[in-house]
Amino acid sequence: MMRAISITTDKEIEACFAVMSQLRPHLPESEFVSRVRAQMAEGYRLAAIVEEDGYPAVAGYRIGLNLAWGRYLYVDDLVTDQARRSGGCGKALLHWLFEEARREGCAQVHLDSGLQRKDAHRFYLREGMAISSHHFSIRLPEA
């Protein structure tokens, strides 16, 4: 049975980089721990599936409260090592996140997924999630 753990130490955070960089290739390894720590100061948490050879799946998430959803768990990052996809690691971690949401008193779990990530969309739908909105964004010019 796959086991998920909360990631808390710098060494554990460093060990997540190889997998997380597959989702966030723009992020330099030299900044990874400090960026995660800065986000953790604002409520970000990391979790991973742990196996003898490392962390084949990693998730970054936060607990929030808003008028639209009440108390919710938002998944910022969810990625399984490309070589390990379709082996159950992502499913185990997603379901751990669902349980974490329940433990935290959340009524909902939310995430955004890039339009190009068709395989991820099929996975989320298969695991009971629904496409519930469109996400809009704009890059602001520098002042």
PDB file of all heavy atoms in Angstrom, residues 6-8 13 16 20-21 23-24 27 32-47 58-64 73-79 97 100:
ATOM      1  N   SER A   6       3.501  14.082   5.100  1.00  0.00           N
ATOM      2  CA  SER A   6       3.687  15.526   5.044  1.00  0.00           C
ATOM      3  C   SER A   6       5.176  15.796   4.949  1.00  0.00           C
ATOM      4  O   SER A   6       5.982  15.165   5.634  1.00  0.00           O
ATOM      5  CB  SER A   6       3.125  16.183   6.299  1.00  0.00           C
ATOM      6  OG  SER A   6       1.725  16.067   6.316  1.00  0.00           O
ATOM      7  N   ILE A   7       5.555  16.723   4.099  1.00  0.00           N
ATOM      8  CA  ILE A   7       6.950  17.095   3.889  1.00  0.00           C
ATOM      9  C   ILE A   7       7.217  18.345   4.727  1.00  0.00           C
ATOM     10  O   ILE A   7       6.535  19.359   4.557  1.00  0.00           O
ATOM     11  CB  ILE A   7       7.209  17.386   2.395  1.00  0.00           C
ATOM     12  CG1 ILE A   7       6.900  16.155   1.547  1.00  0.00           C
ATOM     13  CG2 ILE A   7       8.618  17.908   2.167  1.00  0.00           C
ATOM     14  CD1 ILE A   7       7.759  14.958   1.811  1.00  0.00           C
ATOM     15  N   THR A   8       8.206  18.278   5.615  1.00  0.00           N
ATOM     16  CA  THR A   8       8.429  19.400   6.521  1.00  0.00           C
ATOM     17  C   THR A   8       9.880  19.873   6.593  1.00  0.00           C
ATOM     18  O   THR A   8      10.125  21.053   6.840  1.00  0.00           O
ATOM     19  CB  THR A   8       7.964  19.049   7.954  1.00  0.00           C
ATOM     20  OG1 THR A   8       8.672  17.877   8.390  1.00  0.00           O
ATOM     21  CG2 THR A   8       6.462  18.784   7.989  1.00  0.00           C
ATOM     22  N   ILE A  13      12.083  18.608   1.412  1.00  0.00           N
ATOM     23  CA  ILE A  13      11.686  19.550   0.357  1.00  0.00           C
ATOM     24  C   ILE A  13      12.631  19.413  -0.832  1.00  0.00           C
ATOM     25  O   ILE A  13      12.188  19.316  -1.983  1.00  0.00           O
ATOM     26  CB  ILE A  13      11.667  20.994   0.893  1.00  0.00           C
ATOM     27  CG1 ILE A  13      10.560  21.161   1.944  1.00  0.00           C
ATOM     28  CG2 ILE A  13      11.469  21.990  -0.258  1.00  0.00           C
ATOM     29  CD1 ILE A  13      10.636  22.466   2.726  1.00  0.00           C
ATOM     30  N   CYS A  16      11.938  16.613  -3.141  1.00  0.00           N
ATOM     31  CA  CYS A  16      10.741  16.758  -3.979  1.00  0.00           C
ATOM     32  C   CYS A  16      11.029  17.451  -5.303  1.00  0.00           C
ATOM     33  O   CYS A  16      10.216  17.378  -6.230  1.00  0.00           O
ATOM     34  CB  CYS A  16       9.668  17.553  -3.226  1.00  0.00           C
ATOM     35  SG  CYS A  16       8.959  16.704  -1.809  1.00  0.00           S
ATOM     36  N   MET A  20       8.769  17.664  -8.760  1.00  0.00           N
ATOM     37  CA  MET A  20       8.048  18.932  -8.909  1.00  0.00           C
ATOM     38  C   MET A  20       8.522  19.694 -10.138  1.00  0.00           C
ATOM     39  O   MET A  20       7.734  20.365 -10.801  1.00  0.00           O
ATOM     40  CB  MET A  20       8.224  19.787  -7.649  1.00  0.00           C
ATOM     41  CG  MET A  20       7.376  21.046  -7.647  1.00  0.00           C
ATOM     42  SD  MET A  20       5.595  20.760  -7.554  1.00  0.00           S
ATOM     43  CE  MET A  20       5.434  20.473  -5.785  1.00  0.00           C
ATOM     44  N   SER A  21       9.789  19.572 -10.483  1.00  0.00           N
ATOM     45  CA  SER A  21      10.314  20.301 -11.646  1.00  0.00           C
ATOM     46  C   SER A  21       9.710  19.792 -12.954  1.00  0.00           C
ATOM     47  O   SER A  21       9.757  20.487 -13.967  1.00  0.00           O
ATOM     48  CB  SER A  21      11.840  20.217 -11.694  1.00  0.00           C
ATOM     49  OG  SER A  21      12.268  18.890 -11.919  1.00  0.00           O
ATOM     50  N   LEU A  23       6.562  19.416 -13.338  1.00  0.00           N
ATOM     51  CA  LEU A  23       5.377  20.261 -13.462  1.00  0.00           C
ATOM     52  C   LEU A  23       5.748  21.734 -13.570  1.00  0.00           C
ATOM     53  O   LEU A  23       5.087  22.503 -14.257  1.00  0.00           O
ATOM     54  CB  LEU A  23       4.459  20.051 -12.247  1.00  0.00           C
ATOM     55  CG  LEU A  23       3.165  20.852 -12.196  1.00  0.00           C
ATOM     56  CD1 LEU A  23       2.236  20.439 -13.348  1.00  0.00           C
ATOM     57  CD2 LEU A  23       2.479  20.655 -10.854  1.00  0.00           C
ATOM     58  N   ARG A  24       6.808  22.127 -12.892  1.00  0.00           N
ATOM     59  CA  ARG A  24       7.242  23.529 -12.826  1.00  0.00           C
ATOM     60  C   ARG A  24       8.681  23.660 -13.335  1.00  0.00           C
ATOM     61  O   ARG A  24       9.603  23.973 -12.593  1.00  0.00           O
ATOM     62  CB  ARG A  24       7.160  24.050 -11.388  1.00  0.00           C
ATOM     63  CG  ARG A  24       5.830  23.832 -10.706  1.00  0.00           C
ATOM     64  CD  ARG A  24       4.765  24.739 -11.252  1.00  0.00           C
ATOM     65  NE  ARG A  24       3.498  24.535 -10.542  1.00  0.00           N
ATOM     66  CZ  ARG A  24       2.325  24.528 -11.122  1.00  0.00           C
ATOM     67  NH1 ARG A  24       2.215  24.715 -12.424  1.00  0.00           N
ATOM     68  NH2 ARG A  24       1.225  24.345 -10.419  1.00  0.00           N
ATOM     69  N   LEU A  27      11.233  26.667 -12.599  1.00  0.00           N
ATOM     70  CA  LEU A  27      11.718  26.945 -11.250  1.00  0.00           C
ATOM     71  C   LEU A  27      13.148  26.431 -11.066  1.00  0.00           C
ATOM     72  O   LEU A  27      13.391  25.231 -11.160  1.00  0.00           O
ATOM     73  CB  LEU A  27      10.797  26.284 -10.228  1.00  0.00           C
ATOM     74  CG  LEU A  27      11.042  26.583  -8.764  1.00  0.00           C
ATOM     75  CD1 LEU A  27      10.893  28.071  -8.488  1.00  0.00           C
ATOM     76  CD2 LEU A  27      10.054  25.795  -7.909  1.00  0.00           C
ATOM     77  N   PHE A  32      14.373  26.486  -5.045  1.00  0.00           N
ATOM     78  CA  PHE A  32      13.228  25.650  -4.697  1.00  0.00           C
ATOM     79  C   PHE A  32      12.917  25.662  -3.202  1.00  0.00           C
ATOM     80  O   PHE A  32      11.791  25.963  -2.794  1.00  0.00           O
ATOM     81  CB  PHE A  32      13.434  24.219  -5.199  1.00  0.00           C
ATOM     82  CG  PHE A  32      12.242  23.322  -4.962  1.00  0.00           C
ATOM     83  CD1 PHE A  32      11.033  23.571  -5.590  1.00  0.00           C
ATOM     84  CD2 PHE A  32      12.335  22.231  -4.118  1.00  0.00           C
ATOM     85  CE1 PHE A  32       9.936  22.743  -5.382  1.00  0.00           C
ATOM     86  CE2 PHE A  32      11.252  21.405  -3.892  1.00  0.00           C
ATOM     87  CZ  PHE A  32      10.043  21.661  -4.528  1.00  0.00           C
ATOM     88  N   VAL A  33      13.885  25.364  -2.361  1.00  0.00           N
ATOM     89  CA  VAL A  33      13.626  25.281  -0.922  1.00  0.00           C
ATOM     90  C   VAL A  33      13.175  26.635  -0.389  1.00  0.00           C
ATOM     91  O   VAL A  33      12.195  26.717   0.362  1.00  0.00           O
ATOM     92  CB  VAL A  33      14.846  24.743  -0.148  1.00  0.00           C
ATOM     93  CG1 VAL A  33      14.615  24.834   1.361  1.00  0.00           C
ATOM     94  CG2 VAL A  33      15.125  23.300  -0.547  1.00  0.00           C
ATOM     95  N   SER A  34      13.840  27.707  -0.786  1.00  0.00           N
ATOM     96  CA  SER A  34      13.467  29.025  -0.271  1.00  0.00           C
ATOM     97  C   SER A  34      12.074  29.437  -0.740  1.00  0.00           C
ATOM     98  O   SER A  34      11.311  30.037   0.023  1.00  0.00           O
ATOM     99  CB  SER A  34      14.507  30.082  -0.640  1.00  0.00           C
ATOM    100  OG  SER A  34      14.592  30.243  -2.034  1.00  0.00           O
ATOM    101  N   ARG A  35      11.712  29.111  -1.975  1.00  0.00           N
ATOM    102  CA  ARG A  35      10.369  29.427  -2.473  1.00  0.00           C
ATOM    103  C   ARG A  35       9.316  28.636  -1.710  1.00  0.00           C
ATOM    104  O   ARG A  35       8.280  29.173  -1.325  1.00  0.00           O
ATOM    105  CB  ARG A  35      10.255  29.128  -3.963  1.00  0.00           C
ATOM    106  CG  ARG A  35      11.035  30.043  -4.870  1.00  0.00           C
ATOM    107  CD  ARG A  35      10.280  31.281  -5.344  1.00  0.00           C
ATOM    108  NE  ARG A  35       9.102  31.023  -6.121  1.00  0.00           N
ATOM    109  CZ  ARG A  35       9.060  30.991  -7.445  1.00  0.00           C
ATOM    110  NH1 ARG A  35      10.163  31.174  -8.154  1.00  0.00           N
ATOM    111  NH2 ARG A  35       7.926  30.791  -8.072  1.00  0.00           N
ATOM    112  N   VAL A  36       9.579  27.340  -1.495  1.00  0.00           N
ATOM    113  CA  VAL A  36       8.631  26.518  -0.736  1.00  0.00           C
ATOM    114  C   VAL A  36       8.501  27.053   0.679  1.00  0.00           C
ATOM    115  O   VAL A  36       7.388  27.201   1.204  1.00  0.00           O
ATOM    116  CB  VAL A  36       9.045  25.029  -0.749  1.00  0.00           C
ATOM    117  CG1 VAL A  36       8.230  24.223   0.267  1.00  0.00           C
ATOM    118  CG2 VAL A  36       8.868  24.448  -2.145  1.00  0.00           C
ATOM    119  N   ARG A  37       9.616  27.371   1.316  1.00  0.00           N
ATOM    120  CA  ARG A  37       9.578  27.912   2.685  1.00  0.00           C
ATOM    121  C   ARG A  37       8.800  29.232   2.737  1.00  0.00           C
ATOM    122  O   ARG A  37       8.015  29.454   3.668  1.00  0.00           O
ATOM    123  CB  ARG A  37      10.989  28.108   3.233  1.00  0.00           C
ATOM    124  CG  ARG A  37      11.662  26.824   3.630  1.00  0.00           C
ATOM    125  CD  ARG A  37      11.035  26.280   4.879  1.00  0.00           C
ATOM    126  NE  ARG A  37      11.694  25.051   5.298  1.00  0.00           N
ATOM    127  CZ  ARG A  37      11.082  24.110   5.972  1.00  0.00           C
ATOM    128  NH1 ARG A  37       9.822  24.225   6.328  1.00  0.00           N
ATOM    129  NH2 ARG A  37      11.721  23.023   6.329  1.00  0.00           N
ATOM    130  N   ALA A  38       8.980  30.108   1.762  1.00  0.00           N
ATOM    131  CA  ALA A  38       8.246  31.372   1.724  1.00  0.00           C
ATOM    132  C   ALA A  38       6.751  31.112   1.578  1.00  0.00           C
ATOM    133  O   ALA A  38       5.925  31.753   2.233  1.00  0.00           O
ATOM    134  CB  ALA A  38       8.753  32.250   0.582  1.00  0.00           C
ATOM    135  N   GLN A  39       6.389  30.148   0.742  1.00  0.00           N
ATOM    136  CA  GLN A  39       4.981  29.803   0.579  1.00  0.00           C
ATOM    137  C   GLN A  39       4.432  29.150   1.851  1.00  0.00           C
ATOM    138  O   GLN A  39       3.284  29.393   2.231  1.00  0.00           O
ATOM    139  CB  GLN A  39       4.792  28.880  -0.631  1.00  0.00           C
ATOM    140  CG  GLN A  39       4.956  29.577  -1.947  1.00  0.00           C
ATOM    141  CD  GLN A  39       4.772  28.644  -3.130  1.00  0.00           C
ATOM    142  OE1 GLN A  39       5.507  28.731  -4.082  1.00  0.00           O
ATOM    143  NE2 GLN A  39       3.811  27.753  -3.083  1.00  0.00           N
ATOM    144  N   MET A  40       5.246  28.332   2.504  1.00  0.00           N
ATOM    145  CA  MET A  40       4.805  27.695   3.746  1.00  0.00           C
ATOM    146  C   MET A  40       4.471  28.739   4.809  1.00  0.00           C
ATOM    147  O   MET A  40       3.547  28.553   5.600  1.00  0.00           O
ATOM    148  CB  MET A  40       5.854  26.708   4.260  1.00  0.00           C
ATOM    149  CG  MET A  40       5.896  25.415   3.501  1.00  0.00           C
ATOM    150  SD  MET A  40       7.191  24.312   4.141  1.00  0.00           S
ATOM    151  CE  MET A  40       6.598  22.722   3.563  1.00  0.00           C
ATOM    152  N   ALA A  41       5.200  29.845   4.797  1.00  0.00           N
ATOM    153  CA  ALA A  41       4.912  30.925   5.748  1.00  0.00           C
ATOM    154  C   ALA A  41       3.525  31.509   5.513  1.00  0.00           C
ATOM    155  O   ALA A  41       2.953  32.125   6.410  1.00  0.00           O
ATOM    156  CB  ALA A  41       5.979  32.010   5.640  1.00  0.00           C
ATOM    157  N   GLU A  42       2.973  31.276   4.313  1.00  0.00           N
ATOM    158  CA  GLU A  42       1.638  31.768   3.970  1.00  0.00           C
ATOM    159  C   GLU A  42       0.608  30.640   3.931  1.00  0.00           C
ATOM    160  O   GLU A  42      -0.486  30.809   3.383  1.00  0.00           O
ATOM    161  CB  GLU A  42       1.688  32.490   2.631  1.00  0.00           C
ATOM    162  CG  GLU A  42       2.553  33.742   2.678  1.00  0.00           C
ATOM    163  CD  GLU A  42       2.604  34.482   1.358  1.00  0.00           C
ATOM    164  OE1 GLU A  42       2.010  34.015   0.362  1.00  0.00           O
ATOM    165  OE2 GLU A  42       3.243  35.540   1.321  1.00  0.00           O
ATOM    166  N   GLY A  43       0.956  29.467   4.474  1.00  0.00           N
ATOM    167  CA  GLY A  43      -0.014  28.383   4.581  1.00  0.00           C
ATOM    168  C   GLY A  43       0.150  27.218   3.627  1.00  0.00           C
ATOM    169  O   GLY A  43      -0.589  26.233   3.711  1.00  0.00           O
ATOM    170  N   TYR A  44       1.107  27.299   2.711  1.00  0.00           N
ATOM    171  CA  TYR A  44       1.360  26.213   1.752  1.00  0.00           C
ATOM    172  C   TYR A  44       1.899  24.997   2.490  1.00  0.00           C
ATOM    173  O   TYR A  44       2.660  25.115   3.448  1.00  0.00           O
ATOM    174  CB  TYR A  44       2.373  26.713   0.732  1.00  0.00           C
ATOM    175  CG  TYR A  44       2.757  25.776  -0.388  1.00  0.00           C
ATOM    176  CD1 TYR A  44       1.962  25.651  -1.511  1.00  0.00           C
ATOM    177  CD2 TYR A  44       3.953  25.070  -0.349  1.00  0.00           C
ATOM    178  CE1 TYR A  44       2.335  24.839  -2.574  1.00  0.00           C
ATOM    179  CE2 TYR A  44       4.344  24.253  -1.399  1.00  0.00           C
ATOM    180  CZ  TYR A  44       3.524  24.138  -2.506  1.00  0.00           C
ATOM    181  OH  TYR A  44       3.903  23.339  -3.555  1.00  0.00           O
ATOM    182  N   ARG A  45       1.488  23.825   2.036  1.00  0.00           N
ATOM    183  CA  ARG A  45       1.973  22.572   2.607  1.00  0.00           C
ATOM    184  C   ARG A  45       2.385  21.645   1.468  1.00  0.00           C
ATOM    185  O   ARG A  45       1.844  21.726   0.376  1.00  0.00           O
ATOM    186  CB  ARG A  45       0.870  21.887   3.413  1.00  0.00           C
ATOM    187  CG  ARG A  45       0.276  22.759   4.493  1.00  0.00           C
ATOM    188  CD  ARG A  45      -0.900  22.063   5.133  1.00  0.00           C
ATOM    189  NE  ARG A  45      -1.662  22.957   5.989  1.00  0.00           N
ATOM    190  CZ  ARG A  45      -2.694  22.578   6.718  1.00  0.00           C
ATOM    191  NH1 ARG A  45      -3.105  21.321   6.704  1.00  0.00           N
ATOM    192  NH2 ARG A  45      -3.344  23.444   7.464  1.00  0.00           N
ATOM    193  N   LEU A  46       3.325  20.759   1.761  1.00  0.00           N
ATOM    194  CA  LEU A  46       3.755  19.748   0.795  1.00  0.00           C
ATOM    195  C   LEU A  46       3.452  18.363   1.343  1.00  0.00           C
ATOM    196  O   LEU A  46       3.574  18.127   2.551  1.00  0.00           O
ATOM    197  CB  LEU A  46       5.268  19.827   0.562  1.00  0.00           C
ATOM    198  CG  LEU A  46       5.802  20.722  -0.534  1.00  0.00           C
ATOM    199  CD1 LEU A  46       7.326  20.681  -0.538  1.00  0.00           C
ATOM    200  CD2 LEU A  46       5.265  20.345  -1.888  1.00  0.00           C
ATOM    201  N   ALA A  47       3.091  17.476   0.449  1.00  0.00           N
ATOM    202  CA  ALA A  47       2.898  16.070   0.793  1.00  0.00           C
ATOM    203  C   ALA A  47       3.462  15.241  -0.354  1.00  0.00           C
ATOM    204  O   ALA A  47       3.594  15.731  -1.476  1.00  0.00           O
ATOM    205  CB  ALA A  47       1.422  15.756   1.008  1.00  0.00           C
ATOM    206  N   VAL A  58       4.176  14.129  -5.754  1.00  0.00           N
ATOM    207  CA  VAL A  58       4.292  15.254  -4.829  1.00  0.00           C
ATOM    208  C   VAL A  58       3.101  16.184  -5.038  1.00  0.00           C
ATOM    209  O   VAL A  58       2.648  16.376  -6.177  1.00  0.00           O
ATOM    210  CB  VAL A  58       5.606  16.028  -5.090  1.00  0.00           C
ATOM    211  CG1 VAL A  58       5.722  17.240  -4.194  1.00  0.00           C
ATOM    212  CG2 VAL A  58       6.816  15.121  -4.928  1.00  0.00           C
ATOM    213  N   ALA A  59       2.626  16.766  -3.943  1.00  0.00           N
ATOM    214  CA  ALA A  59       1.529  17.733  -4.027  1.00  0.00           C
ATOM    215  C   ALA A  59       1.804  18.914  -3.110  1.00  0.00           C
ATOM    216  O   ALA A  59       2.273  18.742  -1.989  1.00  0.00           O
ATOM    217  CB  ALA A  59       0.207  17.079  -3.632  1.00  0.00           C
ATOM    218  N   GLY A  60       1.500  20.095  -3.594  1.00  0.00           N
ATOM    219  CA  GLY A  60       1.515  21.301  -2.788  1.00  0.00           C
ATOM    220  C   GLY A  60       0.087  21.791  -2.663  1.00  0.00           C
ATOM    221  O   GLY A  60      -0.656  21.807  -3.653  1.00  0.00           O
ATOM    222  N   TYR A  61      -0.311  22.167  -1.460  1.00  0.00           N
ATOM    223  CA  TYR A  61      -1.705  22.556  -1.241  1.00  0.00           C
ATOM    224  C   TYR A  61      -1.805  23.550  -0.097  1.00  0.00           C
ATOM    225  O   TYR A  61      -0.843  23.793   0.627  1.00  0.00           O
ATOM    226  CB  TYR A  61      -2.556  21.320  -0.958  1.00  0.00           C
ATOM    227  CG  TYR A  61      -2.229  20.615   0.336  1.00  0.00           C
ATOM    228  CD1 TYR A  61      -2.992  20.844   1.489  1.00  0.00           C
ATOM    229  CD2 TYR A  61      -1.154  19.732   0.433  1.00  0.00           C
ATOM    230  CE1 TYR A  61      -2.689  20.213   2.683  1.00  0.00           C
ATOM    231  CE2 TYR A  61      -0.849  19.094   1.619  1.00  0.00           C
ATOM    232  CZ  TYR A  61      -1.616  19.340   2.747  1.00  0.00           C
ATOM    233  OH  TYR A  61      -1.308  18.716   3.930  1.00  0.00           O
ATOM    234  N   ARG A  62      -2.979  24.119   0.063  1.00  0.00           N
ATOM    235  CA  ARG A  62      -3.245  25.040   1.164  1.00  0.00           C
ATOM    236  C   ARG A  62      -4.708  24.932   1.563  1.00  0.00           C
ATOM    237  O   ARG A  62      -5.538  24.513   0.756  1.00  0.00           O
ATOM    238  CB  ARG A  62      -2.875  26.464   0.798  1.00  0.00           C
ATOM    239  CG  ARG A  62      -3.632  27.035  -0.359  1.00  0.00           C
ATOM    240  CD  ARG A  62      -3.115  28.394  -0.849  1.00  0.00           C
ATOM    241  NE  ARG A  62      -1.894  28.235  -1.607  1.00  0.00           N
ATOM    242  CZ  ARG A  62      -0.746  28.850  -1.298  1.00  0.00           C
ATOM    243  NH1 ARG A  62      -0.681  29.667  -0.288  1.00  0.00           N
ATOM    244  NH2 ARG A  62       0.331  28.654  -2.026  1.00  0.00           N
ATOM    245  N   ILE A  63      -4.984  25.305   2.790  1.00  0.00           N
ATOM    246  CA  ILE A  63      -6.343  25.362   3.304  1.00  0.00           C
ATOM    247  C   ILE A  63      -6.784  26.815   3.235  1.00  0.00           C
ATOM    248  O   ILE A  63      -6.025  27.719   3.597  1.00  0.00           O
ATOM    249  CB  ILE A  63      -6.422  24.854   4.768  1.00  0.00           C
ATOM    250  CG1 ILE A  63      -5.834  23.445   4.898  1.00  0.00           C
ATOM    251  CG2 ILE A  63      -7.852  24.930   5.291  1.00  0.00           C
ATOM    252  CD1 ILE A  63      -6.534  22.369   4.099  1.00  0.00           C
ATOM    253  N   GLY A  64      -8.001  27.048   2.764  1.00  0.00           N
ATOM    254  CA  GLY A  64      -8.493  28.416   2.648  1.00  0.00           C
ATOM    255  C   GLY A  64      -9.942  28.524   3.082  1.00  0.00           C
ATOM    256  O   GLY A  64     -10.616  27.519   3.361  1.00  0.00           O
ATOM    257  N   LEU A  73      -9.811  22.954   0.560  1.00  0.00           N
ATOM    258  CA  LEU A  73      -8.412  22.621   0.304  1.00  0.00           C
ATOM    259  C   LEU A  73      -8.168  22.924  -1.166  1.00  0.00           C
ATOM    260  O   LEU A  73      -8.920  22.452  -2.027  1.00  0.00           O
ATOM    261  CB  LEU A  73      -8.133  21.158   0.618  1.00  0.00           C
ATOM    262  CG  LEU A  73      -6.666  20.709   0.501  1.00  0.00           C
ATOM    263  CD1 LEU A  73      -6.379  19.597   1.504  1.00  0.00           C
ATOM    264  CD2 LEU A  73      -6.327  20.233  -0.904  1.00  0.00           C
ATOM    265  N   TYR A  74      -7.143  23.728  -1.442  1.00  0.00           N
ATOM    266  CA  TYR A  74      -6.778  24.057  -2.815  1.00  0.00           C
ATOM    267  C   TYR A  74      -5.445  23.398  -3.150  1.00  0.00           C
ATOM    268  O   TYR A  74      -4.461  23.570  -2.429  1.00  0.00           O
ATOM    269  CB  TYR A  74      -6.655  25.575  -3.018  1.00  0.00           C
ATOM    270  CG  TYR A  74      -6.374  25.895  -4.462  1.00  0.00           C
ATOM    271  CD1 TYR A  74      -7.419  25.972  -5.387  1.00  0.00           C
ATOM    272  CD2 TYR A  74      -5.079  26.047  -4.919  1.00  0.00           C
ATOM    273  CE1 TYR A  74      -7.162  26.203  -6.719  1.00  0.00           C
ATOM    274  CE2 TYR A  74      -4.811  26.282  -6.251  1.00  0.00           C
ATOM    275  CZ  TYR A  74      -5.858  26.359  -7.145  1.00  0.00           C
ATOM    276  OH  TYR A  74      -5.593  26.565  -8.482  1.00  0.00           O
ATOM    277  N   VAL A  75      -5.421  22.653  -4.228  1.00  0.00           N
ATOM    278  CA  VAL A  75      -4.204  21.980  -4.689  1.00  0.00           C
ATOM    279  C   VAL A  75      -3.490  22.907  -5.671  1.00  0.00           C
ATOM    280  O   VAL A  75      -3.977  23.151  -6.768  1.00  0.00           O
ATOM    281  CB  VAL A  75      -4.530  20.623  -5.357  1.00  0.00           C
ATOM    282  CG1 VAL A  75      -3.242  19.930  -5.799  1.00  0.00           C
ATOM    283  CG2 VAL A  75      -5.353  19.734  -4.433  1.00  0.00           C
ATOM    284  N   ASP A  76      -2.338  23.420  -5.239  1.00  0.00           N
ATOM    285  CA  ASP A  76      -1.518  24.280  -6.096  1.00  0.00           C
ATOM    286  C   ASP A  76      -0.733  23.455  -7.110  1.00  0.00           C
ATOM    287  O   ASP A  76      -0.548  23.872  -8.255  1.00  0.00           O
ATOM    288  CB  ASP A  76      -0.493  25.057  -5.260  1.00  0.00           C
ATOM    289  CG  ASP A  76      -1.114  26.091  -4.353  1.00  0.00           C
ATOM    290  OD1 ASP A  76      -1.710  25.699  -3.336  1.00  0.00           O
ATOM    291  OD2 ASP A  76      -0.988  27.290  -4.658  1.00  0.00           O
ATOM    292  N   ASP A  77      -0.225  22.318  -6.662  1.00  0.00           N
ATOM    293  CA  ASP A  77       0.680  21.495  -7.469  1.00  0.00           C
ATOM    294  C   ASP A  77       0.375  20.033  -7.188  1.00  0.00           C
ATOM    295  O   ASP A  77       0.265  19.639  -6.026  1.00  0.00           O
ATOM    296  CB  ASP A  77       2.143  21.753  -7.066  1.00  0.00           C
ATOM    297  CG  ASP A  77       2.477  23.226  -6.920  1.00  0.00           C
ATOM    298  OD1 ASP A  77       2.513  23.920  -7.954  1.00  0.00           O
ATOM    299  OD2 ASP A  77       2.681  23.681  -5.782  1.00  0.00           O
ATOM    300  N   LEU A  78       0.263  19.238  -8.235  1.00  0.00           N
ATOM    301  CA  LEU A  78       0.107  17.791  -8.088  1.00  0.00           C
ATOM    302  C   LEU A  78       0.784  17.140  -9.282  1.00  0.00           C
ATOM    303  O   LEU A  78       0.400  17.392 -10.424  1.00  0.00           O
ATOM    304  CB  LEU A  78      -1.366  17.391  -8.023  1.00  0.00           C
ATOM    305  CG  LEU A  78      -1.690  15.905  -7.933  1.00  0.00           C
ATOM    306  CD1 LEU A  78      -1.055  15.271  -6.705  1.00  0.00           C
ATOM    307  CD2 LEU A  78      -3.190  15.673  -7.924  1.00  0.00           C
ATOM    308  N   VAL A  79       1.801  16.337  -9.009  1.00  0.00           N
ATOM    309  CA  VAL A  79       2.561  15.756 -10.106  1.00  0.00           C
ATOM    310  C   VAL A  79       3.093  14.384  -9.704  1.00  0.00           C
ATOM    311  O   VAL A  79       3.495  14.165  -8.564  1.00  0.00           O
ATOM    312  CB  VAL A  79       3.721  16.694 -10.548  1.00  0.00           C
ATOM    313  CG1 VAL A  79       4.685  16.963  -9.419  1.00  0.00           C
ATOM    314  CG2 VAL A  79       4.445  16.158 -11.772  1.00  0.00           C
ATOM    315  N   LEU A  97      -5.151  13.675  -0.284  1.00  0.00           N
ATOM    316  CA  LEU A  97      -5.565  15.075  -0.212  1.00  0.00           C
ATOM    317  C   LEU A  97      -7.052  15.192   0.130  1.00  0.00           C
ATOM    318  O   LEU A  97      -7.444  16.060   0.914  1.00  0.00           O
ATOM    319  CB  LEU A  97      -5.254  15.799  -1.525  1.00  0.00           C
ATOM    320  CG  LEU A  97      -3.780  16.047  -1.809  1.00  0.00           C
ATOM    321  CD1 LEU A  97      -3.564  16.420  -3.270  1.00  0.00           C
ATOM    322  CD2 LEU A  97      -3.202  17.110  -0.891  1.00  0.00           C
ATOM    323  N   GLU A 100      -7.186  14.552   3.754  1.00  0.00           N
ATOM    324  CA  GLU A 100      -6.622  15.703   4.461  1.00  0.00           C
ATOM    325  C   GLU A 100      -7.667  16.813   4.531  1.00  0.00           C
ATOM    326  O   GLU A 100      -7.819  17.473   5.571  1.00  0.00           O
ATOM    327  CB  GLU A 100      -5.345  16.185   3.759  1.00  0.00           C
ATOM    328  CG  GLU A 100      -4.721  17.413   4.360  1.00  0.00           C
ATOM    329  CD  GLU A 100      -3.974  17.193   5.662  1.00  0.00           C
ATOM    330  OE1 GLU A 100      -4.036  16.083   6.242  1.00  0.00           O
ATOM    331  OE2 GLU A 100      -3.335  18.148   6.128  1.00  0.00           O
TER     332      GLU A 100
END
